[in-house]
Amino acid sequence: MFKWFGVVNLSPSTRVAEFAQLLREGHLMASRCSACGDRSFPPRADCARCLSADFEFLELKGHGTLYTFTEVSVAPAGFETYAPYTLGVVDLEEGGRAMAWIGESLAAEDLEIGMSLQLVPRLRDDVEEIQVFYTLETPGYARDRAGATVTSLLAVWPREPATEGERIR
Amino acid sequence: MGHTAFGRRTDASVQELACEAFAEALRDAGIPRDAVEGSVIAAVPEYHKQRSIAGAVSEYLGLAPKPTWLVEAACASGGAAIRTAWMAIRAGSHDVLAVIGCQKMTELTTAETLALMGRVGEVQWESCFGATFPAYYALFARRHMHEYGTRPDDLIAVAVKNHHYGAMNPLAMFQKEITPEKAAASDPVASPFHVYDCCANADGAVCLLLAEEERAREISNHPVWLSGMGAASSSMSVLRRPSLSALPSTGEAARQAYEMAGVAPQDIQVADVHDCFTIAEILAYEDLGFCPKGMGGRFVSEGESYVGGTTPVNVDGGLKAKGHPIGATGVSMTYEIAKQLRGEAGARQVPEATVGLTHNVGGIGQYCFVQVLTRE
């Protein structure tokens, strides 16, 4: 159900579609190649190193540091009502990078390259369709606010990430 | 060579723009249409209403039944088409080919343009968060500022320089100087970028006639040579890049081109580089070796990329002031450097230039084509 993923989904078909299902349940997943063990975030079905088509999901805690960011004022189609929004790129401690919106726990003037952040699974609760994505927040924000609807738009998923490296499914 | 005026060309269709450039190129070379053995068209299909544009252009120019095909590499389509024609000539398949870059971007509605703008990057993990084209380069700009102390004033210096030269180019979309104050006060687009950090969509066409060496000497007493040709790619997803303070495809394509031509960055006397956003020109100075890594901001602010400086860059106005009809841009770069090497660049002429360079980037460095051009 990858059509659930993103603010506006453009690519519903993928072999890593279960990522969105797991994100909906509060799990942030990387992929790990079953043949050579190479890890990837964002996840990919076919190993970048050895091209094996076998992979498994591996849960991440999502801790990382801000690599770069930009506040988007001129939005593309489908995003007009959200502008301005801030895009961040985070370097994940567990490997890989993610692009995500900076969430409500961080003020624009406090953003600084190198600061500690956490990539947090989010479930949208103002629309009828299922819609999931992740935002960049102050570390621990999800734990502290678990279950609360913190804006009119987004609920924090009421669970903590699994122990690092714990296998899900 | 032939080059239409760039800008909002509501007076002409894309075929008519291509014909304007093609007819000028035939007059310039002094050869009949029959001498052209085929055409390679550079364009990005989604910006035209007419699908499969190569066929439409070839028919309108009266080139059928000679072969034609479209080459697409986003904003580097022009560089890719020139390389494709060069390869066909080197392979011995053709002696004379027309490369025509053409684009008519203003026939799309704003809504259509905004929809396309949201899909320039990797769509599965990035575009779904509203990452626009300016936003990507803004991410590079912010990172470059962090790593090297590049200042907002350095970004503005690129825009001011390119508008300065755009004012000397009768084919440019914007032929007006701007002040740093005006650039800084323009509307925000994606921080740290304002409107004047970004190039503009445009209409236009450019035609080059490429010929095999012996044939070129028959046609012209002053041919300009493609002496070094480099091509490279970088990952579509910026999340898979080693850093966001350089374009690795530029470094690799430049290395190939310098090696083939037997020149060093310091030998380049005039260059057209891909300044789709102000930071992109700063990255280009560094990745092409015109200045050390991290010094690109200082390079432009200290005037080193003006005529009279270390390496004059984009003295035709660049994408910034000339406008950016995507498919035509790379072809326009080669046209401009050839003009410079022929000594025909008018007010913006770099004196005695015999070695020049073009640098055409597609997307956010996903594609890169570098040429070293020389005159005997």
Short mmCIF file of all heavy atoms in Angstrom, two decimals, chain B residues 14-15 41 43-59 68 70 102-103 107-108:
data_model
loop_
_atom_site.label_atom_id
_atom_site.label_comp_id
_atom_site.label_asym_id
_atom_site.label_seq_id
_atom_site.Cartn_x
_atom_site.Cartn_y
_atom_site.Cartn_z
N VAL B 14 7.17 25.98 -32.14
CA VAL B 14 8.50 25.40 -31.88
C VAL B 14 9.19 25.05 -33.20
O VAL B 14 10.40 25.23 -33.36
CB VAL B 14 8.40 24.22 -30.89
CG1 VAL B 14 7.56 23.09 -31.44
CG2 VAL B 14 9.78 23.71 -30.53
N GLN B 15 8.42 24.57 -34.20
CA GLN B 15 9.03 24.26 -35.50
C GLN B 15 9.56 25.53 -36.16
O GLN B 15 10.61 25.52 -36.80
CB GLN B 15 8.01 23.63 -36.46
CG GLN B 15 7.52 22.26 -36.08
CD GLN B 15 6.21 22.33 -35.32
OE1 GLN B 15 6.06 23.14 -34.41
NE2 GLN B 15 5.27 21.47 -35.68
N ILE B 41 17.82 16.16 -32.51
CA ILE B 41 17.03 17.19 -31.85
C ILE B 41 17.16 17.06 -30.33
O ILE B 41 17.05 15.97 -29.78
CB ILE B 41 15.53 17.07 -32.23
CG1 ILE B 41 15.36 16.98 -33.76
CG2 ILE B 41 14.71 18.23 -31.65
CD1 ILE B 41 15.87 18.15 -34.55
N ALA B 43 15.50 18.24 -26.87
CA ALA B 43 14.32 18.87 -26.29
C ALA B 43 13.84 17.97 -25.14
O ALA B 43 14.15 16.78 -25.10
CB ALA B 43 13.20 19.01 -27.32
N VAL B 44 13.10 18.55 -24.22
CA VAL B 44 12.50 17.77 -23.15
C VAL B 44 11.01 17.63 -23.48
O VAL B 44 10.29 18.63 -23.51
CB VAL B 44 12.72 18.43 -21.78
CG1 VAL B 44 11.99 17.67 -20.69
CG2 VAL B 44 14.22 18.48 -21.47
N PRO B 45 10.58 16.41 -23.82
CA PRO B 45 9.25 16.21 -24.42
C PRO B 45 8.09 16.77 -23.59
O PRO B 45 7.14 17.30 -24.16
CB PRO B 45 9.12 14.70 -24.55
CG PRO B 45 10.50 14.17 -24.43
CD PRO B 45 11.31 15.15 -23.67
N GLU B 46 8.16 16.65 -22.27
CA GLU B 46 6.98 17.02 -21.48
C GLU B 46 6.67 18.51 -21.50
O GLU B 46 5.62 18.94 -21.05
CB GLU B 46 7.07 16.50 -20.04
CG GLU B 46 8.27 16.94 -19.25
CD GLU B 46 9.40 15.92 -19.31
OE1 GLU B 46 9.53 15.20 -20.32
OE2 GLU B 46 10.18 15.86 -18.33
N TYR B 47 7.59 19.33 -22.03
CA TYR B 47 7.32 20.77 -22.11
C TYR B 47 6.70 21.20 -23.43
O TYR B 47 6.54 22.39 -23.68
CB TYR B 47 8.60 21.57 -21.84
CG TYR B 47 9.00 21.59 -20.38
CD1 TYR B 47 9.92 20.69 -19.87
CD2 TYR B 47 8.42 22.50 -19.50
CE1 TYR B 47 10.27 20.70 -18.53
CE2 TYR B 47 8.75 22.52 -18.16
CZ TYR B 47 9.68 21.62 -17.68
OH TYR B 47 10.01 21.63 -16.36
N HIS B 48 6.40 20.25 -24.31
CA HIS B 48 5.73 20.59 -25.56
C HIS B 48 4.36 19.95 -25.64
O HIS B 48 4.16 18.84 -25.15
CB HIS B 48 6.54 20.09 -26.77
CG HIS B 48 7.81 20.83 -26.99
ND1 HIS B 48 8.96 20.23 -27.42
CD2 HIS B 48 8.11 22.15 -26.82
CE1 HIS B 48 9.92 21.14 -27.53
NE2 HIS B 48 9.44 22.30 -27.17
N LYS B 49 3.44 20.61 -26.29
CA LYS B 49 2.16 19.99 -26.59
C LYS B 49 2.35 18.92 -27.67
O LYS B 49 1.77 17.85 -27.62
CB LYS B 49 1.15 21.03 -27.10
CG LYS B 49 0.82 22.11 -26.10
CD LYS B 49 -0.06 21.59 -24.98
CE LYS B 49 -0.56 22.76 -24.14
NZ LYS B 49 -0.89 22.33 -22.78
N GLN B 50 3.18 19.26 -28.68
CA GLN B 50 3.48 18.32 -29.76
C GLN B 50 4.32 17.18 -29.20
O GLN B 50 5.41 17.41 -28.68
CB GLN B 50 4.26 19.02 -30.87
CG GLN B 50 4.81 18.10 -31.95
CD GLN B 50 3.71 17.50 -32.82
OE1 GLN B 50 2.94 18.23 -33.43
NE2 GLN B 50 3.61 16.18 -32.85
N ARG B 51 3.83 15.97 -29.29
CA ARG B 51 4.65 14.84 -28.87
C ARG B 51 5.61 14.47 -29.98
O ARG B 51 5.40 14.80 -31.14
CB ARG B 51 3.76 13.65 -28.49
CG ARG B 51 2.90 13.98 -27.26
CD ARG B 51 2.19 12.76 -26.75
NE ARG B 51 3.16 11.73 -26.32
CZ ARG B 51 2.82 10.46 -26.07
NH1 ARG B 51 1.58 10.08 -26.20
NH2 ARG B 51 3.73 9.60 -25.71
N SER B 52 6.68 13.77 -29.62
CA SER B 52 7.67 13.30 -30.60
C SER B 52 8.13 14.45 -31.51
O SER B 52 7.99 14.42 -32.72
CB SER B 52 7.07 12.16 -31.43
OG SER B 52 8.10 11.38 -31.99
N ILE B 53 8.72 15.44 -30.89
CA ILE B 53 9.02 16.72 -31.55
C ILE B 53 10.05 16.60 -32.68
O ILE B 53 10.04 17.41 -33.61
CB ILE B 53 9.47 17.76 -30.49
CG1 ILE B 53 9.42 19.18 -31.03
CG2 ILE B 53 10.85 17.45 -29.95
CD1 ILE B 53 8.02 19.68 -31.30
N ALA B 54 10.93 15.60 -32.61
CA ALA B 54 11.98 15.50 -33.65
C ALA B 54 11.35 15.35 -35.04
O ALA B 54 11.78 16.01 -36.00
CB ALA B 54 12.92 14.33 -33.35
N GLY B 55 10.33 14.51 -35.12
CA GLY B 55 9.67 14.29 -36.41
C GLY B 55 9.04 15.57 -36.93
O GLY B 55 9.14 15.88 -38.13
N ALA B 56 8.41 16.31 -36.05
CA ALA B 56 7.74 17.54 -36.46
C ALA B 56 8.75 18.58 -36.94
O ALA B 56 8.52 19.27 -37.94
CB ALA B 56 6.92 18.10 -35.29
N VAL B 57 9.87 18.68 -36.26
CA VAL B 57 10.90 19.65 -36.64
C VAL B 57 11.53 19.25 -37.96
O VAL B 57 11.68 20.05 -38.88
CB VAL B 57 11.96 19.78 -35.52
CG1 VAL B 57 13.19 20.55 -36.03
CG2 VAL B 57 11.37 20.48 -34.30
N SER B 58 11.92 17.98 -38.07
CA SER B 58 12.60 17.50 -39.28
C SER B 58 11.71 17.72 -40.52
O SER B 58 12.18 18.16 -41.57
CB SER B 58 12.94 16.02 -39.13
OG SER B 58 13.51 15.52 -40.30
N GLU B 59 10.42 17.45 -40.38
CA GLU B 59 9.49 17.66 -41.49
C GLU B 59 9.44 19.14 -41.88
O GLU B 59 9.55 19.50 -43.04
CB GLU B 59 8.09 17.16 -41.11
CG GLU B 59 7.06 17.38 -42.19
CD GLU B 59 5.90 18.23 -41.72
OE1 GLU B 59 5.97 19.47 -41.84
OE2 GLU B 59 4.93 17.65 -41.23
N THR B 68 16.29 11.41 -38.27
CA THR B 68 16.22 12.37 -37.17
C THR B 68 15.88 11.61 -35.91
O THR B 68 15.25 10.56 -35.97
CB THR B 68 15.17 13.46 -37.44
OG1 THR B 68 15.25 14.45 -36.40
CG2 THR B 68 13.75 12.89 -37.46
N LEU B 70 15.39 12.20 -31.31
CA LEU B 70 15.36 13.09 -30.15
C LEU B 70 16.34 12.60 -29.09
O LEU B 70 16.44 11.40 -28.85
CB LEU B 70 13.95 13.12 -29.55
CG LEU B 70 13.76 13.97 -28.29
CD1 LEU B 70 13.78 15.45 -28.64
CD2 LEU B 70 12.45 13.62 -27.59
N CYS B 102 15.64 22.86 -29.19
CA CYS B 102 14.49 23.75 -29.29
C CYS B 102 13.53 23.48 -28.13
O CYS B 102 13.39 22.34 -27.69
CB CYS B 102 13.78 23.56 -30.63
SG CYS B 102 13.32 21.86 -30.98
N GLN B 103 12.90 24.51 -27.66
CA GLN B 103 11.95 24.34 -26.57
C GLN B 103 11.01 25.52 -26.57
O GLN B 103 11.43 26.66 -26.77
CB GLN B 103 12.68 24.27 -25.23
CG GLN B 103 11.90 23.53 -24.16
CD GLN B 103 12.05 22.02 -24.25
OE1 GLN B 103 13.15 21.51 -24.20
NE2 GLN B 103 10.95 21.30 -24.38
N GLU B 107 4.17 27.54 -23.79
CA GLU B 107 2.85 27.06 -24.23
C GLU B 107 2.18 26.21 -23.15
O GLU B 107 1.02 25.85 -23.26
CB GLU B 107 2.92 26.36 -25.60
CG GLU B 107 3.69 25.09 -25.65
CD GLU B 107 3.79 24.54 -27.09
OE1 GLU B 107 3.59 25.28 -28.06
OE2 GLU B 107 4.08 23.35 -27.23
N LEU B 108 2.91 25.91 -22.09
CA LEU B 108 2.29 25.21 -20.96
C LEU B 108 1.62 26.22 -20.03
O LEU B 108 2.08 27.35 -19.89
CB LEU B 108 3.36 24.45 -20.16
CG LEU B 108 3.49 22.96 -20.47
CD1 LEU B 108 3.85 22.74 -21.92
CD2 LEU B 108 4.51 22.31 -19.57
#
